[in-house]
Amino acid sequence: MRKFLLTILFLLAALPLRAQSFEELLLQLPEGSYSDRAAVAAAIAATGDDRAAGVLEVLAEGNLHILKSDGSIVEIRDVNGDDIAFSALDGTEVGEIGRGDTDKIKVNNGLRRDLRALLGSMSLLNADPNKRAEAAQAVFKDGDPGQIELLDSAIAAETEAWVADLMQEARAVAVLNSDMDTEAKLAAVKVLADRGDQDAKGVLSQFANDEALALPIATALSQIERTQQLWQVGQNVWYGLSLGSVLLLAAIGLAITFGVMGVINMAHGELVMLGAYSTFFVQELIRNNAAWLFDYSLLIAAPVAFLVAGSVGIGIERGIVRHLYGRPLETLLATWGVSLILQQTVRSIFGPNNREVGNPEWMSGAFELGGLTITYGRMWILIFALVVFAGLMLLLKKTAMGLQMRAVTQNREMAANMGIRTGRVDALTFGLGAGIAGLAGVALSQIDNVSPNLGQSYIVDSFMVVVFGGAGNLWGALAGAFSLGVANKFLEPFTGAVLGKILVLVFIILFIQKRPRGLFALKGRAVEA
Amino acid sequence: MMNPKKLALGLGLTASLMATTALSQETIKVGILHSLSGTMAISETTLKDVMLMLIEEQNKKGGINGMMLEPVVVDPASDWPLFAEKARELIEGEGVDVVFGCWTSVSRKSVLPVFEELNSILFYPVQYEGEESQRNVFYTGAAPNQQAIPAVDYLMNEEGVERWVLAGTDYVYPRTTNKILEAYLMSKGVSADDIMINYTPFGHSDWQTIVSDIKAFGSEGLKTAVVSTINGDANVPFYKELANQGIDAADIPVVAFSVGEEELAGLDTGPLVGHLAAWNYFMSVDSPENDEFIETWQAFIGDEDRVTNDPMEAHYIGFNMWVKAVEAAGTTDADAVIDALIGVSVPNLTGGYSSMGANHHITKPVLVGEIQDDGQFDVVWETTGLVLGDEWSDYLPESAKLISDWRAPLSCGNFNVETGECGGSAE
């Protein structure tokens, strides 16, 4: 009996985790369920040990492992492609490890959320203001009333006004969750109403049923919704422009081959795909040989893609298309065959699977502009599309080659009589269109699959833009791409993506009935030629 | 009068023809009906390779009942009507005894009449929408109750999700699955306001609006999750947009039913850590069978980085079941093998045994995994036992009353328990 009691006492003594040291707690991490692990993590945070934040961060990233040989806890870091284990206690290097030497200490979403909140409260007093802001965001999402005191002291010590605001907002959420008096809560509602974004709306709507707060919350919510509706319009315009820029990139090469030369090139999409694969190839080379260049990989890939797609384009023109000028149906069938050949070739070389094309740092993430969320990737693609368009315009209008191109397409015999080698100009024009398709591939590799099917999804859209904008006119392609993009994005919230796309197609068919030559019809003799 | 030269030639031809016939009697032909070109090649080529590997391994063990296996590969080129033609070619022209094939539901539907008419056997390895049970088909992929419903249960119970976005590509699998899920969620007390259903076309690449809608839908104060039946190709841009707009798995998790190791191979998974997938197998599963399978696969394909995935495991199970049934029946005759298959039990790759049910579906464990930054899934939850595929969903009123049992004396794929008649239609 006494032994039994002793055991109970012993167990009770072991229960309060707080009493244990950092080292002991660390060893308990791998045991039990996710919620046990969350409790141990909280205890680790409570030890106040200097190493606690570091270890929890590694845990949240999923890099904390247990070494099978001696049961010690290690952090695994990738050092030049090798997995090296470092002791979680003192950071000393344990050595290289292979598959099966360690067991990962698993984290799931719930645990990751808890860890983020813990790390947030631990770094509220960090020296780096950005870290403090991040911490305030984490505490905001957690909303634990236990953090009010800590937040108060952090706010008192805060020197940056914008970080202090974030902390005030985090405190407001905690206050709403606490059992403080109505006055404090009303103040908190006001703080959140001033924040006025989706997150604030989310928090406020949780308390909309609280009698004392119902009225101010309802006012705040309708206020937030009104401003968000306004921003929504701007957001749709941005999405439309961004979709338009993708359409423009895909179509602009076609605007030259189809629009200017009159060749129906069904392999256009595959030229785009070749551009995307060139990007993949360049990135692969850089990854293996010069990893530090990765951020510039797209800049290097652009000329490569232009040359690859361009030379394939010249090959198609010299090999097939030039024998079929003036026979649109045969051209269509022949280039469609070429597109299948190109697809299967790429499939045989690179395999049917998607290839990973990484986003460089400057193409990832988003920033807030007022109520707009603008992703960097899309922004750079829009800029890139406009630069390519401007470059092409300059080339056509200001260079000798551009002059020859226009001359040949407007009046072949006359141009030939003037001493222009029309065959060479044809090949170069087609190559230029193909090369620009390659450039489009570089941009599309950033937002879409890089697979042999990439081109297929863009060929219809490209023709749509060129036909709608008016064949033979680059400005038409520009206007066509952006108006279709914006129209699509304004339709989508009401009709859904599927119906939206159908409606746009129907609209174009009707439009073409009315204006067969598209938005910007060419006038004059050139048209009839 | 026949000239002697021609006669000799004719004789030679006949002899060589007889030789091939004699040879083909020695082997058992296994048809492989997977697209090697076109849109679906991305997923199906791997399955062709895994079948070739399984057949090669079986031949190393001496074939079946002393006879070697001979694979016959055709390419239906992601063209649905062509699937039916190629199936006919395999069964009638090549005389195969069994076919492993199809990926999309529409390709399966297109070959069904052929298999029925010519009385052959098809093993279908992909997760599908259910609402079907055919005598000549064995479904080794997951039915909705082996994937979608447990995944939703996990989110509801473990993550406390109360608001649901059901996002899918616009075709039969997502539509039926979402219909079942919607009925299931409603039965759990989720109000219609808390369910958002969204369909997108195949290969949809501009996800900006939908992702920002999901973000807005998720900021109403209730924990929100996305249940994704988005088809393979559209997933990469979808996940890229999620990552770019900063939707974190800890805030709004996405659980997918069509995203596996192969699909993730085309993605930088760093920003996707924590998003979920529900399958019956993950490459990361720690079992001796799985280690051996991965090793054999990577050696066969000659690439140490090649991944394995769920439909590959389904073929592994299906193939071994068929081998066992043929061994038991002592013949490759379709009727005998179809009867012998029911009740066959073989090891799966997750450390247990899968067996073939009377409804031609199999028992499997259900696993929920989180995406890791190395492109693999970590299992965070699994069912305690095995789950048998439920062909007619219990959550749709029109199919709840149907059952399937291909054993004599019932021998019916859609027996209506209310009217007591076979052939009660689900429509």
Side-chain angles (χ1 to χ4, degrees):
Chain A
M1 188 64 204
R2 183 181 282 176
K3 237 181 193 168
F4 178 64
L5 274 179
L6 265 178
T7 330
I8 296 257
L9 269 179
F10 183 77
L11 279 175
L12 279 177
L15 268 181
L17 295 162
R18 199 173 291 271
Q20 290 174 291
S21 71
F22 177 75
E23 285 81 3
E24 284 167 326
L25 285 166
L26 198 59
L27 287 175
Q28 291 175 15
L29 262 184
E31 294 156 20
S33 66
Y34 290 114
S35 48
D36 295 341
R37 210 162 289 157
V40 176
I44 288 179
T47 55
D49 197 293
D50 294 341
R51 295 162 291 183
V55 164
L56 293 182
E57 209 160 304
V58 176
L59 175 64
E61 284 162 7
N63 291 333
L64 210 57
H65 289 238
I66 175 163
L67 209 56
K68 277 183 187 168
S69 52
D70 61 355
S72 65
I73 310 288
V74 291
E75 176 194 350
I76 294 196
R77 263 180 257 159
D78 184 353
V79 182
N80 302 326
D82 296 321
D83 286 336
I84 311 284
F86 295 87
S87 162
L89 287 174
D90 47 21
T92 52
E93 188 173 326
V94 180
E96 191 180 337
I97 51 126
R99 192 193 145 117
D101 290 348
T102 58
D103 272 330
K104 180 173 164 183
I105 303 180
K106 289 187 177 177
V107 277
N108 69 352
N109 280 325
L111 182 55
R112 219 171 274 129
R113 235 178 349 254
D114 291 342
L115 287 173
R116 210 160 55 177
L118 280 175
L119 285 166
S121 58
M122 286 166 86
S123 46
L124 273 176
L125 298 168
N126 197 299
D128 178 358
N130 288 320
K131 276 264 161 61
R132 292 201 298 273
E134 248 174 62
Q137 286 288 12
V139 176
F140 179 94
K141 284 203 173 136
D142 189 41
D144 176 11
Q147 304 289 351
I148 295 178
E149 258 175 63
L150 180 64
L151 280 166
D152 280 337
S153 55
I155 291 166
E158 188 54 64
T159 46
E160 304 270 340
W162 63 278
V163 183
D165 283 347
L166 284 174
M167 288 179 177
Q168 286 287 5
E169 285 155 10
R171 184 180 181 279
V173 183
V175 166
L176 282 176
N177 276 313
S178 71
D179 46 11
M180 285 168 81
D181 56 23
T182 315
E183 203 171 320
K185 287 191 176 180
L186 282 173
V189 170
K190 194 172 174 312
V191 170
L192 288 174
D194 289 343
R195 177 172 165 134
D197 65 353
Q198 274 181 352
D199 290 334
K201 189 177 152 206
V203 174
L204 285 174
S205 34
Q206 286 173 40
F207 299 94
N209 293 328
D210 189 325
E211 261 178 52
L213 305 173
L215 193 65
I217 285 186
T219 334
L221 281 181
S222 64
Q223 178 70 34
I224 293 176
E225 261 160 39
R226 257 202 310 279
T227 41
Q228 281 196 338
Q229 261 163 13
L230 278 179
W231 282 114
Q232 192 59 44
V233 178
Q235 189 80 68
N236 277 339
V237 171
W238 164 252
Y239 289 159
L241 290 179
S242 143
L243 175 62
S245 69
V246 172
L247 290 176
L248 177 65
L249 268 177
I252 195 168
L254 199 70
I256 296 176
T257 49
F258 175 59
V260 178
M261 294 177 74
V263 174
I264 299 181
N265 179 16
M266 294 301 282
H268 180 73
E270 277 57 44
L271 295 167
V272 174
M273 172 195 74
L274 286 182
Y277 271 93
S278 309
T279 317
F280 163 72
F281 192 72
V282 167
Q283 279 202 349
E284 234 11 46
L285 281 182
I286 287 179
R287 271 208 192 100
N288 295 332
N289 299 316
W292 53 275
L293 265 175
F294 187 77
D295 270 350
Y296 305 97
S297 58
L298 293 185
L299 298 181
I300 301 167
V304 174
F306 183 84
L307 290 178
V308 169
S311 38
V312 171
I314 290 179
I316 296 175
E317 203 275 341
R318 287 289 90 181
I320 298 166
V321 172
R322 76 171 161 138
H323 304 295
L324 300 170
Y325 279 128
R327 288 149 72 187
L329 193 63
E330 280 94 331
T331 317
L332 187 146
L333 286 174
T335 50
W336 190 57
V338 169
S339 84
L340 293 182
I341 293 172
L342 285 176
Q343 264 182 48
Q344 202 60 28
T345 312
V346 168
R347 199 171 279 135
S348 305
I349 298 175
F350 292 95
N353 296 71
N354 286 335
R355 289 292 157 173
E356 181 187 336
V357 173
N359 296 9
E361 197 61 38
W362 48 274
M363 287 284 284
S364 321
F367 63 96
E368 303 272 330
L369 187 77
L372 300 181
T373 311
I374 292 178
T375 49
Y376 283 108
R378 299 275 179 178
M379 185 185 77
W380 286 115
I381 288 175
L382 177 64
I383 293 172
F384 181 65
L386 294 175
V387 168
V388 168
F389 180 82
L392 192 60
M393 270 311 196
L394 280 180
L395 183 79
L396 283 182
K397 299 272 150 108
K398 300 283 177 202
T399 65
M401 191 189 148
L403 188 66
Q404 292 182 357
M405 281 180 189
R406 283 182 292 143
V408 170
T409 46
Q410 278 174 20
N411 193 326
R412 184 172 294 272
E413 285 87 48
M414 186 74 87
N417 287 342
M418 300 295 287
I420 296 174
R421 289 159 61 192
T422 56
R424 185 169 158 276
V425 171
D426 280 337
L428 285 179
T429 315
F430 199 90
L432 176 68
I436 287 171
L439 288 180
V442 178
L444 290 180
S445 73
Q446 291 298 302
I447 51 171
D448 208 338
N449 296 300
V450 179
S451 77
N453 308 328
L454 170 73
Q456 283 180 329
S457 33
Y458 289 99
I459 185 77
V460 175
D461 286 346
S462 310
F463 270 107
M464 213 164 74
V465 166
V466 175
V467 170
F468 178 64
N473 193 323
L474 287 183
W475 288 107
L478 181 81
F482 283 116
S483 44
L484 286 183
V486 173
N488 216 325
K489 284 297 157 188
F490 271 91
L491 276 175
E492 207 179 298
F494 303 106
T495 59
V498 183
L499 195 58
K501 212 165 176 175
I502 296 174
L503 284 178
V504 167
L505 264 175
V506 169
F507 165 74
I508 290 181
I509 292 172
L510 293 178
F511 182 85
I512 296 296
Q513 297 298 317
K514 207 76 193 130
R515 293 189 63 154
R517 291 188 192 284
L519 270 184
F520 290 73
L522 279 186
K523 293 189 183 72
R525 256 186 303 184
V527 177
E528 314 304 331
Chain B
M1 184 71 208
M2 198 178 243
N3 93 33
K5 221 176 183 179
K6 260 192 184 162
L7 186 73
L9 197 78
L11 276 176
L13 247 172
T14 328
S16 69
L17 264 177
M18 277 167 73
T20 30
T21 344
L23 194 76
S24 68
Q25 274 167 359
E26 302 286 313
T27 62
I28 301 175
K29 285 189 173 180
V30 178
I32 302 173
L33 183 65
H34 283 302
S35 303
L36 310 179
S37 53
T39 16
M40 292 313 295
I42 181 173
S43 312
E44 293 193 66
T45 312
T46 315
L47 291 184
K48 183 255 315 176
D49 290 333
V50 88
M51 280 313 299
L52 292 180
M53 174 188 95
L54 289 169
I55 291 170
E56 190 184 294
E57 291 293 306
Q58 188 64 32
N59 282 339
K60 279 188 198 158
K61 287 188 239 162
I64 308 177
N65 298 340
M67 286 197 279
M68 288 293 149
L69 301 179
E70 181 193 343
V72 182
V73 180
V74 290
D75 176 16
S78 312
D79 178 359
W80 321 136
L82 195 59
F83 267 87
E85 274 173 48
K86 290 284 174 186
R88 191 173 285 280
E89 180 188 319
L90 277 175
I91 304 167
E92 278 189 338
E94 298 280 348
V96 301
D97 295 304
V98 62
V99 176
F100 291 81
C102 297
W103 182 288
T104 57
S105 285
V106 44
S107 67
R108 187 189 69 251
K109 297 263 187 209
S110 117
V111 301
L112 279 187
V114 178
F115 278 87
E116 203 167 1
E117 181 197 326
L118 303 176
N119 193 23
S120 188
I121 304 173
L122 170 70
F123 278 86
Y124 177 66
V126 183
Q127 100 280 14
Y128 84 119
E129 67 279 1
E131 306 301 294
E132 185 183 298
S133 176
Q134 219 269 354
R135 182 171 172 269
N136 302 87
V137 184
F138 291 86
Y139 306 81
T140 51
N145 73 315
Q146 289 173 309
Q147 193 185 22
I149 291 195
V152 164
D153 276 339
Y154 168 80
L155 287 174
M156 207 182 279
N157 302 330
E158 307 286 317
E159 296 252 355
V161 173
E162 294 171 276
R163 251 168 112 77
W164 304 85
V165 180
L166 309 181
T169 303
D170 202 1
Y171 72 109
V172 56
Y173 166 67
R175 284 221 177 237
T176 316
T177 306
N178 285 344
K179 209 159 81 180
I180 294 172
L181 282 180
E182 197 184 1
Y184 180 70
L185 288 172
M186 298 274 210
S187 78
K188 292 277 171 184
V190 177
S191 85
D193 291 343
D194 289 331
I195 302 176
M196 168 176 145
I197 299 184
N198 184 290
Y199 291 106
T200 39
F202 270 100
H204 191 66
S205 59
D206 194 287
W207 289 92
Q208 301 180 86
T209 313
I210 291 158
V211 167
S212 88
D213 282 354
I214 290 173
K215 216 166 148 186
F217 189 77
S219 65
E220 300 278 327
L222 295 175
K223 175 80 184 165
T224 306
V226 180
V227 178
S228 151
T229 39
I230 295 165
N231 174 278
D233 259 6
N235 274 301
V236 173
F238 174 60
Y239 280 110
K240 279 191 175 173
E241 191 67 38
L242 279 181
N244 276 337
Q245 292 206 20
I247 293 190
D248 192 276
D251 300 325
I252 303 181
V254 178
V255 58
F257 304 145
S258 313
V259 176
E261 289 84 352
E262 290 253 302
E263 284 74 19
L264 288 185
L267 271 173
D268 169 20
T269 48
L272 302 180
V273 171
H275 287 305
L276 305 140
W279 289 106
N280 309 105
Y281 165 83
F282 287 114
M283 186 179 178
S284 64
V285 165
D286 197 12
S287 78
E289 291 88 357
N290 188 30
D291 288 348
E292 195 196 323
F293 181 75
I294 295 173
E295 208 171 292
T296 324
W297 167 243
Q298 291 177 340
F300 177 81
I301 213 82
D303 179 355
E304 277 183 25
D305 294 327
R306 275 302 281 270
V307 292
T308 57
N309 66 11
D310 184 271
M312 290 168 71
E313 192 224 13
H315 261 344
Y316 170 85
I317 297 172
F319 180 75
N320 287 334
M321 282 181 164
W322 175 77
V323 168
K324 230 174 156 180
V326 172
E327 279 169 356
T331 167
T332 53
D333 176 60
D335 289 327
V337 176
I338 288 175
D339 287 340
L341 265 165
I342 294 177
V344 163
S345 183
V346 298
N348 56 33
L349 294 178
T350 43
Y353 275 81
S354 283
S355 48
M356 179 61 71
N359 58 1
H360 287 190
H361 288 63
I362 66 171
T363 59
K364 299 176 141 202
V366 185
L367 316 175
V368 173
E370 280 186 5
I371 298 176
Q372 301 299 303
D373 52 9
D374 58 357
Q376 289 287 328
F377 292 87
D378 245 3
V379 176
V380 290
W381 181 84
E382 59 188 294
T383 46
T384 41
L386 297 181
V387 183
L388 173 67
D390 179 23
E391 68 296 352
W392 300 107
S393 172
D394 298 339
Y395 299 101
L396 294 179
E398 61 271 33
S399 72
K401 52 183 186 269
L402 297 179
I403 60 160
S404 160
D405 190 334
W406 286 108
R407 286 170 304 192
L410 197 56
S411 269
C412 177
N414 49 359
F415 184 79
N416 190 323
V417 289
E418 279 177 10
T419 59
E421 276 171 22
C422 187
S425 160
E427 271 83 51

